[in-house]
Amino acid sequence: MVFSKETQIYRQDVRQQGTFLTPKQREDLVKPYMPKSPPMAAVAQKPMSQPVRSFARNSLHLLVFTIIHAIFSVYIRIRQTYHIVLDRIFAILYYHHRAPELIRQDVKKLSRLPEHLSIILELKGEERGAAGLGALMDEAAEISAWCACVGITTLSVYEKTGILKAYLPNTHRAVTSKLHAYFGRRIPSLQIGAPHIPSLLNGGSSEELDQLASPQGHLSILLLSADDGRSTLVDLTKTLTEMSQRKKISPSDISLDLVHAEITDSVMGEPDLLVLFAPYVKLQGYPPWQVRLTEIFHMQDNSGVGYQVFLRALHSYAKAQMNFGR
Amino acid sequence: MSSMHLSQVRRWLLQSPPVEWAILQLRELLIGALRQGPVPQHVAFVMDGNRRFARSHGIETVEGHNLGFEALARILEVCYKSGVKVVTVYAFSIENFKRSKYEVDALMDMAKVKLLQLAQHGDLLDQYGASVRVLGRRELLKEDVLEAIDRSVHLTKHNKGAILNICFPYTSHDEMTTAIRDTVIDYSAPLTSQPRSFSESHITHTIRARRLSAATAILKVRSHSPSSGGTSDTEDSMSSSTTLHQDFPTPATTAIEEEEEEDEVSELKKFQRDTYPDPETITSEILSDHMFTANLPPLDLLIRTSGVERLSDFMLWQCHEETDIVFLKCLWPEFDLWTFLPVILEWQWKRRKSVQREKTPVSLSQKLVKSA
């Protein structure tokens, strides 16, 4: 970047705490960058006074806009293709083969792992009903298995509609069978729950399995939906309002710590890493209170759950440094 | 600065008036072109990377922040010219008070100087039609900074074209807590029953008096209601007499009015003890209206520079639904039209795609309806 004379004069002014230039001189400095007239007036007057010129300018802008977007969509297709190819290569290079040892090998070098991993899944093909639900459950189960292999103890699965919550026992069964596929007979103990719904510990599995499983570690899964986002905060407000109306608390008692404690207890704490399996970062109503310092990972142009995405998320998390506002 | 090591020739060339003019025209052309498509109405920036920029270029931290301010000015120009209505920037987090005193003071000084300069150029801001708002915990700021804020906010208040929100000491958790607290305060205020011109007691009196007058009309006897006792006795008799004799002497009427008023006050007190707005009517929209960004268009685009992929307590309530969040690798002082352009283009491209997707099922169903 090359700085114009104006910029240099401006910086001289900044260095002297704004004493180098008079207000008048400063205005002259920015004059060439100002819009010709107030934007409101421009809309009202321009077409009246110079119809031909404004029409020509508009057409020129439209032309440039079309050209830019044509070029851009070519660029985006190339980029998408590139990313898909890259994704395929990664998928082949890093395949888990349903072997916990291999997965552990893949993350051995990482300096740190998230304790609480969160993922956003999407229910696809809503009109197809059961097929969409099955696919969703399979994705959730697959990721749970990877987490269990890596040693992540808490996994929260966000899905906007909350359909998994409605099928909690089925989800538990799906995850358990997936864990069996990875670990064989001895699987980690598994707890699946959702806010305000009693959780299932080791589901319908037998007692002896429970005892066998404990040395393999533990995985607790939390199912979230859009109801655990804004609505929770609204519910908290309602409760606080009621208490305040009955003079049980005064509004000044409502502090950040109180809200934080309540939200953490009723839904969950802040996850360390949030992985999106979507091409863009869009939170779709994910609980707002908890994403404060969460590392958000997504892969450009990737759509779909894949082991390579999961692995890259963990790698990028290990590299990320935190500095808490300092 | 690596860019400062450019050869003299190139610098001379780029600084020559025709080239400078051409670059300016190109910028204007691109911005004008951007206007042709959908433009995000509300854009938020996390201005991250000033210090890292300073560190990597071997300049002072404060210099880095100054360069960051220049980047902000550049990008504001692009935003407002291309039709963005609201720009929200994360200038200072409450957590940032933990930084070294020297840096905090320097940042505060910078804010003060810039805001005061802003106040000197009121007419220029009018040309953009932009107003400045400061969101955050004001009470954490020093007097002189507050004064500067108030001056520039006041000076630009009348502008409606565009808004610049400066989040200055701000965190989203704090904002949400404040919104909850304010909502609770709003809902804990007892409903002040509007002083209506009718009082319940008066109506019952009238009804009773009506019955009595009907009775008296038959009996032709002046009634003193025997059933009621105590204070209401006199009142009853009075009101019944007023209904009977419209030409009653004035002092008596004032006495009635006084008593009515007393009655009303006690009734009001009783009313206030019980009635509050129903907490069940609280919705997320009401909470939204208590956020700092109340009445602003929804956040369309959130951009964070410097490759950090975290929200860091910024606009959580506003961005967790439909907002496109973009993390860029470049540091904030390097942020410019040329880095902003791809982001906007991709946003426009996505918007057009989603519009197309929405349209197709509709047109299909329309066809079906037509064929049927």
Side-chain angles (χ1 to χ4, degrees):
Chain A
M1 196 195 299
V2 170
F3 304 108
S4 62
K5 261 166 264 153
E6 280 105 338
T7 314
Q8 280 159 11
I9 298 170
Y10 165 77
R11 285 196 185 147
Q12 177 79 26
D13 183 41
V14 170
R15 250 173 302 223
Q16 302 186 8
Q17 293 281 310
T19 49
F20 181 67
L21 297 173
T22 62
K24 180 79 189 65
Q25 283 171 316
R26 226 178 284 133
E27 280 184 22
D28 292 338
L29 212 59
V30 293
K31 272 278 159 59
Y33 300 95
M34 294 301 295
K36 304 288 178 293
S37 54
M40 289 298 139
V43 177
Q45 286 171 8
K46 278 273 170 64
M48 295 295 183
S49 53
Q50 302 165 321
V52 180
R53 253 181 105 172
S54 86
F55 175 75
R57 194 186 295 121
N58 250 336
S59 330
L60 176 66
H61 283 162
L62 198 60
L63 179 73
V64 174
F65 176 76
T66 319
I67 293 172
I68 293 177
H69 264 278
I71 296 170
F72 188 76
S73 59
V74 170
Y75 156 75
I76 223 167
R77 303 265 175 232
I78 293 171
R79 196 186 75 187
Q80 279 173 343
T81 319
Y82 168 74
H83 279 131
I84 288 168
V85 170
L86 204 69
D87 190 57
R88 286 294 102 208
I89 293 170
F90 267 106
I92 294 165
L93 283 180
Y94 293 94
Y95 186 66
H96 49 73
H97 298 285
R98 294 195 171 179
E101 297 76 31
L102 271 180
I103 295 175
R104 265 180 229 128
Q105 194 68 37
D106 282 337
V107 296
K108 222 171 83 183
K109 288 171 294 190
L110 295 184
S111 56
R112 61 170 189 168
L113 282 172
E115 271 170 39
H116 181 175
L117 176 78
S118 200
I119 51 171
I120 296 183
L121 294 179
E122 249 176 289
L123 180 63
K124 281 170 201 126
E126 275 169 273
E127 63 276 0
R128 270 179 290 161
L133 177 64
L136 187 68
M137 255 180 212
D138 193 56
E139 283 170 358
E142 198 80 40
I143 296 166
S144 312
W146 301 333
C147 285
C149 296
V150 168
I152 293 166
T153 49
T154 315
L155 171 73
S156 47
V157 181
Y158 177 84
E159 192 278 318
K160 200 163 76 184
T161 61
I163 192 165
L164 283 180
K165 276 188 193 179
Y167 293 92
L168 197 64
N170 304 48
T171 312
H172 193 284
R173 227 169 295 139
V175 176
T176 311
S177 68
K178 190 65 84 179
L179 285 178
H180 278 299
Y182 274 74
F183 286 87
R185 235 173 78 80
R186 296 150 70 90
I187 62 163
S189 63
L190 174 70
Q191 184 181 12
I192 298 191
H196 318 300
I197 296 176
S199 57
L200 283 176
L201 180 64
N202 291 336
S205 60
S206 59
E207 291 286 311
E208 44 123 16
L209 238 177
D210 191 16
Q211 282 162 5
L212 282 172
S214 36
Q216 297 288 334
H218 176 77
L219 175 67
S220 55
I221 301 176
L222 193 69
L223 304 176
L224 301 169
S225 72
D227 288 340
D228 302 310
R230 284 193 179 190
S231 326
T232 309
L233 282 163
V234 172
D235 280 348
L236 177 65
T237 316
K238 283 179 186 168
T239 315
L240 290 172
T241 306
E242 240 163 41
M243 289 173 77
S244 159
Q245 286 178 353
R246 292 201 201 113
K247 302 279 179 284
K248 281 183 183 160
I249 54 163
S250 99
S252 57
D253 292 335
I254 301 169
S255 64
L256 201 154
D257 297 322
L258 174 76
V259 177
H260 189 70
E262 287 301 317
I263 293 290
T264 306
D265 288 346
S266 87
V267 182
M268 61 165 183
E270 291 179 14
D272 300 310
L273 173 64
L274 173 65
V275 181
L276 280 78
F277 295 95
Y280 312 112
V281 184
K282 207 174 236 188
L283 294 179
Q284 307 176 20
Y286 189 87
W289 188 270
Q290 287 90 340
V291 281
R292 184 172 68 127
L293 296 174
T294 305
E295 213 54 62
I296 300 171
F297 181 86
H298 85 295
M299 255 166 64
Q300 217 176 19
D301 300 328
N302 160 73
S303 49
V305 176
Y307 177 64
Q308 71 284 1
V309 181
F310 175 78
L311 206 59
R312 283 182 73 172
L314 291 185
H315 275 266
S316 93
Y317 177 77
K319 256 180 270 160
Q321 53 158 313
M322 309 279 272
N323 44 15
F324 299 111
R326 264 168 218 234
Chain B
M1 204 178 288
S2 64
S3 51
M4 279 182 177
H5 297 308
L6 282 171
S7 66
Q8 285 293 319
V9 182
R10 208 176 137 201
R11 179 177 291 190
W12 174 81
L13 187 72
L14 282 169
Q15 275 188 12
S16 64
V19 176
E20 220 167 49
W21 180 84
I23 290 175
L24 191 64
Q25 290 305 308
L26 183 63
R27 282 176 72 102
E28 293 290 323
L29 181 70
L30 284 172
I31 293 169
L34 278 184
R35 283 186 78 102
Q36 299 297 319
V39 175
Q41 291 301 293
H42 186 172
V43 182
F45 294 102
V46 181
M47 306 188 286
D48 197 6
N50 290 340
R51 288 189 305 165
R52 214 174 310 159
F53 184 85
R55 226 178 294 142
S56 63
H57 287 80
I59 53 174
E60 262 197 85
T61 318
V62 181
E63 267 309 291
H65 287 304
N66 272 325
L67 289 172
F69 180 80
E70 278 179 37
L72 174 65
R74 276 200 304 267
I75 214 66
L76 283 180
E77 184 202 345
V78 175
C79 282
Y80 291 139
K81 278 184 180 168
S82 58
V84 176
K85 287 276 176 298
V86 186
V87 175
T88 305
V89 294
Y90 201 3
F92 197 83
S93 154
I94 295 176
E95 302 280 315
N96 288 155
F97 279 115
K98 287 183 194 164
R99 290 180 182 177
S100 73
K101 190 181 179 304
Y102 173 71
E103 196 187 336
V104 171
D105 286 348
L107 276 168
M108 289 292 159
D109 271 350
M110 192 175 112
K112 201 176 83 183
V113 170
K114 299 297 177 203
L115 284 166
L116 286 175
Q117 283 185 0
L118 202 84
Q120 288 172 346
H121 307 297
D123 45 335
L124 280 188
L125 276 162
D126 288 354
Q127 217 164 326
Y128 271 106
S131 63
V132 178
R133 293 182 191 175
V134 177
L135 317 179
R137 284 279 290 274
R138 296 170 51 97
E139 59 268 32
L140 296 174
L141 293 173
K142 282 186 196 147
E143 270 305 307
D144 52 340
V145 182
L146 272 180
E147 220 170 88
I149 289 175
D150 286 337
R151 256 181 79 182
S152 52
V153 169
H154 181 74
L155 198 81
T156 57
K157 210 167 53 186
H158 58 279
N159 284 322
K160 293 281 179 288
I163 298 169
L164 169 65
N165 289 320
I166 306 171
C167 296
F168 191 68
Y170 170 95
T171 60
S172 196
H173 271 189
D174 177 66
E175 181 189 20
M176 284 191 265
T177 311
T178 312
I180 291 175
R181 193 188 301 133
D182 289 348
T183 314
V184 170
I185 290 172
D186 272 10
Y187 274 74
S188 303
L191 281 176
T192 45
S193 62
Q194 297 82 6
R196 294 192 205 114
S197 48
F198 300 99
S199 83
E200 281 179 35
S201 61
H202 191 268
I203 291 169
T204 46
H205 291 161
T206 320
I207 292 169
R208 223 179 282 168
R210 270 286 171 87
R211 283 186 201 143
L212 278 172
S213 67
T216 44
I218 300 161
L219 293 170
K220 300 263 181 194
V221 177
R222 206 171 171 205
S223 64
H224 273 269
S225 60
S227 56
S228 50
T231 43
S232 63
D233 191 358
T234 49
E235 206 193 314
D236 253 344
S237 65
M238 294 285 201
S239 48
S240 57
S241 34
T242 36
T243 42
L244 282 172
H245 310 280
Q246 290 299 323
D247 55 338
F248 213 74
T250 26
T253 13
T254 46
I256 296 164
E257 270 167 17
E258 266 170 30
E259 248 192 281
E260 291 283 18
E261 255 171 38
E262 264 176 38
D263 215 324
E264 238 174 62
V265 168
S266 67
E267 213 167 75
L268 206 75
K269 274 181 190 156
K270 206 167 60 187
F271 203 57
Q272 279 176 348
R273 224 181 300 135
D274 310 325
T275 40
Y276 286 108
D278 184 7
E280 286 307 311
T281 54
I282 297 175
T283 58
S284 63
E285 284 75 35
I286 287 176
L287 275 181
S288 296
D289 288 342
H290 284 86
M291 298 285 162
F292 295 137
T293 53
N295 305 325
L296 296 179
L299 191 59
D300 288 321
L301 187 60
L302 188 143
I303 296 176
R304 176 162 194 166
T305 52
S306 88
V308 177
E309 309 203 326
R310 245 175 290 142
L311 293 172
S312 298
D313 225 338
F314 181 57
M315 293 276 127
L316 302 178
W317 178 268
Q318 291 84 353
C319 81
H320 81 112
E321 287 188 327
E322 290 303 307
T323 309
D324 277 289
I325 301 167
V326 179
F327 299 110
L328 295 175
K329 284 273 181 293
C330 77
L331 301 174
W332 180 255
E334 299 161 348
F335 196 58
D336 194 7
L337 175 66
W338 311 110
T339 31
F340 187 46
L341 195 68
V343 178
I344 287 282
L345 283 177
E346 190 158 353
W347 189 87
Q348 289 183 331
W349 184 80
K350 257 189 279 178
R351 203 32 77 103
R352 282 209 308 201
K353 278 231 141 179
S354 67
V355 167
Q356 275 170 14
R357 219 175 299 143
E358 273 167 30
K359 265 183 189 167
T360 33
V362 173
S363 57
L364 263 176
S365 61
Q366 274 172 350
K367 270 178 202 164
L368 283 173
V369 168
K370 270 179 195 166
S371 63

